[in-house]
Amino acid sequence: MQLRLYDTLTKEKRPFTPLDPSNVRMYVCGPTVYDFAHIGNARPVIVFDVLFRLLRHLYGADHVTYVRNITDVDDKINARAVRDFPGLPLNEAIRRVTEVTANQFYADAAALGSLPPTFEPRATDFVLPRADGKTDMVTLIRQLIARGHAYEAGGEVLFDTASMPDYGALSGRKLDEQRPGARVAVDAHKKNPGDFVLWKQSSGDEPGWESPWGRGRPGWHIECSAMSAAYLGEVFDIHGGGLDLIFPHHENEIAQSRCAHGTPAMANFWMHNEFVQIEDTKMSKSLGNFVTIRELLADWPGEVLRLNMLKAHYRSPMDWTLKGLEESAKTLDDWYWVAADIKGGRPSDAVIDALSDDLNTPQMVASLHGLRNSAASGNDLDRSQFAASLRLLGFLSESAADWKARKQQASGIDAKQIDSLISDRTAARARKDFKESDRIRDELAAMGVVIKDSKDGTTWEVAR
Ligand code: AMP
Ligand code: ZN
């Protein structure tokens, strides 16, 4: 089945044809590293990792380039550095904040079963012209000025939105609709209220780089125009991120990249994930209604968080609930039990077809449940297809024994003690002391241990 993806720009699901099948190119906006990522931030990480894996499956692992940046220059970072390290020089404090946060993000993404992207550039490495000649922000801004798309005013360099006839096409906002509002500061020096900052001056105690426009720092949007061009070229296949990035971030990336390069498009597909919500409200740092990936990982294996996320389609809002997590954990316990120790095999067509329909992960999960049933009752081929499908999707990173042991450890259960209680119970049953055997079963149940008797003996597992 041909891969089809929904494109926010053309508002349609279209067949995906790469510009160059030997190098399929995708860019996803990464985190601004000033604080731990919450489970809402994990949604683009997981969704676009699944797309990365699907593209690798379809075009070959060496024929996909995935870039996800790290935004390590931002006024929120400066504020956090001042707050957390008041005694340190600002640059040192900023380095601490961004290093710790970026490393935590890498650890979170890996724990969620995501592959490392091909490149993870940091914005601060792409501000000034580079020795390797890769695209940088200062050069892009100079090009924009030279082509009449940017101007200097009030100590800033601004993008001239009126210079681009179809500015606003992604978000569907017309320039004259952008009346001064909460999100667009009204500044007298701007030609139009929607004009946005490419470069701004830094005061002595702010991070800054020497540029043709004085010592300053880049605006947020120009970072992604530079880093995407640096690794993927002027026009590439897929650009992704969360819904909140459509405007202004992606709109402005498109404006900068197309106007600097003189190209009719920046990316052929624009993909946006909907929000993770808590009680129908977007999870966000500013609202304070968030739970960090790190906190969740203390209670749940990363694969449980991953499966839970994929139960919803990426273009639907999803509520993050304890009940959902408990169900996902149960499902994975079962899948581990059926498939984790089976190696090799090819992923099932049903799973690939579901993903090929604009990443229809709810359909994919339904297919996996079906495959699970044929695997449990079927032959080796069914089992290997089931296991290979799960591995393609980033599951079954552990053996069944390790999965079970980790769960026992997490529940503070002593496996030796359980085994000894179970052999006491077996002995009681053998001498027909059912009162004692029932008592031991109840004792185990009180510890959260469920036992199953079969003709091969007694097995046990921890109920969550
Ligand atoms: P930020 O660090 O705020 O720039 O966000 C990093 C990524 O997470 C961006 O792609 C955001 O669109 C995305 N994001 C932020 N909050 C949520 C949420 N509640 N649900 C889904 N994605 C989100
Ligand atoms: Zn971006």
Side-chain angles (χ1 to χ4, degrees), residues 129-425:
R130 294 164 54 95
D132 63 8
K134 282 193 162 57
T135 310
D136 65 273
M137 300 178 217
V138 164
T139 304
L140 272 186
I141 297 170
R142 292 174 76 136
Q143 274 166 1
L144 286 169
I145 295 173
R147 287 174 177 253
H149 291 291
Y151 60 96
E152 264 189 275
E156 295 178 337
V157 181
L158 294 149
F159 185 90
D160 184 354
T161 46
S163 74
M164 183 186 188
D166 57 348
Y167 177 83
L170 181 73
S171 58
R173 296 188 193 212
K174 301 250 163 32
L175 269 180
D176 53 357
E177 281 172 13
Q178 288 161 35
R179 293 271 162 253
R183 302 203 58 166
V184 185
V186 196
D187 293 309
H189 64 288
K190 290 185 180 180
K191 290 192 196 169
N192 280 294
D195 293 356
F196 56 90
V197 170
L198 301 170
W199 189 264
K200 56 188 158 195
Q201 277 177 359
S202 294
S203 61
D205 55 3
E206 285 170 332
W209 290 260
E210 291 303 333
S211 80
W213 319 286
R215 185 174 171 280
R217 59 195 190 284
W220 172 32
H221 318 304
I222 196 73
E223 298 176 8
C224 290
S225 284
M227 288 182 277
S228 60
Y231 288 101
L232 304 177
E234 295 176 354
V235 186
F236 49 94
D237 296 295
I238 299 169
H239 193 313
L243 205 62
D244 51 341
L245 299 186
I246 294 177
F247 188 87
H249 186 52
H250 288 168
E251 196 72 80
N252 293 347
E253 280 189 40
I254 291 175
Q256 295 162 160
S257 293
R258 283 185 46 202
C259 292
H261 305 308
T263 46
M266 178 183 185
N268 281 346
F269 285 81
W270 287 84
M271 295 178 65
H272 296 96
N273 63 271
E274 251 284 2
F275 298 132
V276 171
Q277 317 183 130
I278 298 251
E279 288 166 5
D280 294 332
T281 308
K282 178 194 173 194
M283 185 181 287
S284 81
K285 277 172 200 160
S286 53
L287 291 176
N289 62 342
F290 64 91
V291 46
T292 62
I293 303 171
R294 185 190 166 102
E295 286 163 334
L296 285 165
L297 284 171
D299 292 337
W300 308 89
E303 290 184 22
V304 170
L305 309 182
R306 183 177 181 86
L307 175 62
N308 201 52
M309 194 67 88
L310 294 176
K311 288 196 299 198
H313 186 247
Y314 77 96
R315 285 194 291 118
S316 307
M318 81 169 294
D319 263 316
W320 193 260
T321 64
L322 181 62
K323 188 162 166 281
L325 282 168
E326 284 168 350
E327 281 168 11
S328 302
K330 254 201 201 129
T331 302
L332 268 172
D333 286 345
D334 175 62
W335 289 354
Y336 259 88
W337 176 69
V338 174
D341 294 335
I342 293 156
K343 300 278 176 277
R346 270 171 30 87
S348 116
D349 288 343
V351 165
I352 301 299
D353 286 353
L355 291 176
S356 298
D357 177 19
D358 190 33
L359 300 184
N360 190 341
T361 55
Q363 177 61 42
M364 169 203 91
V365 172
S367 304
L368 288 169
H369 283 301
L371 281 171
R372 180 262 174 228
N373 289 340
S374 5
S377 60
N379 55 28
D380 285 351
L381 184 67
D382 293 324
R383 274 190 289 278
S384 73
Q385 263 203 359
F386 180 47
S389 302
L390 288 172
R391 289 210 174 84
L392 173 77
L393 296 165
F395 297 108
L396 304 191
S397 61
E398 302 177 28
S399 69
D402 285 350
W403 179 264
K404 197 170 162 187
R406 192 149 70 109
K407 195 167 157 201
Q408 288 154 13
Q409 222 173 22
S411 19
I413 277 175
D414 177 351
K416 277 216 184 89
Q417 186 197 357
I418 309 288
D419 287 340
S420 117
L421 280 168
I422 286 180
S423 56
D424 290 352
R425 176 172 168 273

Side-chain angles (χ1 to χ4, degrees), residues 110-122:
L112 293 169
S114 300
L115 297 171
T118 323
F119 299 104
E120 295 184 272
R122 292 177 184 225

Side-chain angles (χ1 to χ4, degrees), residues 3-199:
L3 171 59
R4 293 162 66 83
L5 297 172
Y6 182 85
D7 174 18
T8 311
L9 184 60
T10 55
K11 300 187 182 57
E12 60 179 358
K13 212 195 280 189
R14 288 190 274 122
F16 174 77
T17 315
L19 292 161
D20 172 5
S22 74
N23 183 18
V24 182
R25 289 161 288 158
M26 171 164 80
Y27 185 92
V28 174
C29 298
T32 303
V33 284
Y34 68 98
D35 206 350
F36 292 136
H38 59 64
I39 193 67
N41 304 135
R43 195 166 194 188
V45 172
I46 295 172
V47 163
F48 291 104
D49 176 68
V50 167
L51 180 54
F52 183 38
R53 288 166 179 271
L54 176 66
L55 294 169
R56 286 160 56 101
H57 176 78
L58 296 175
Y59 296 94
D62 298 334
H63 300 290
V64 185
T65 306
Y66 173 20
V67 178
R68 185 181 60 210
N69 71 292
I70 294 269
T71 294
D72 60 350
V73 48
D74 186 279
D75 291 350
K76 289 195 281 281
I77 300 176
N78 307 344
R80 190 57 63 103
V82 170
R83 189 194 80 180
D84 289 357
F85 301 99
L88 286 182
L90 183 67
N91 278 338
E92 176 68 14
I94 287 176
R95 205 182 54 78
R96 295 259 191 115
V97 170
T98 58
E99 211 170 80
V100 170
T101 317
N103 286 339
Q104 181 63 44
F105 176 76
Y106 295 140
D108 287 349
L112 293 169
S114 300
L115 297 171
T118 323
F119 299 104
E120 295 184 272
R122 292 177 184 225
T124 48
D125 292 330
F126 289 81
V127 177
L128 299 180
R130 294 164 54 95
D132 63 8
K134 282 193 162 57
T135 310
D136 65 273
M137 300 178 217
V138 164
T139 304
L140 272 186
I141 297 170
R142 292 174 76 136
Q143 274 166 1
L144 286 169
I145 295 173
R147 287 174 177 253
H149 291 291
Y151 60 96
E152 264 189 275
E156 295 178 337
V157 181
L158 294 149
F159 185 90
D160 184 354
T161 46
S163 74
M164 183 186 188
D166 57 348
Y167 177 83
L170 181 73
S171 58
R173 296 188 193 212
K174 301 250 163 32
L175 269 180
D176 53 357
E177 281 172 13
Q178 288 161 35
R179 293 271 162 253
R183 302 203 58 166
V184 185
V186 196
D187 293 309
H189 64 288
K190 290 185 180 180
K191 290 192 196 169
N192 280 294
D195 293 356
F196 56 90
V197 170
L198 301 170
W199 189 264

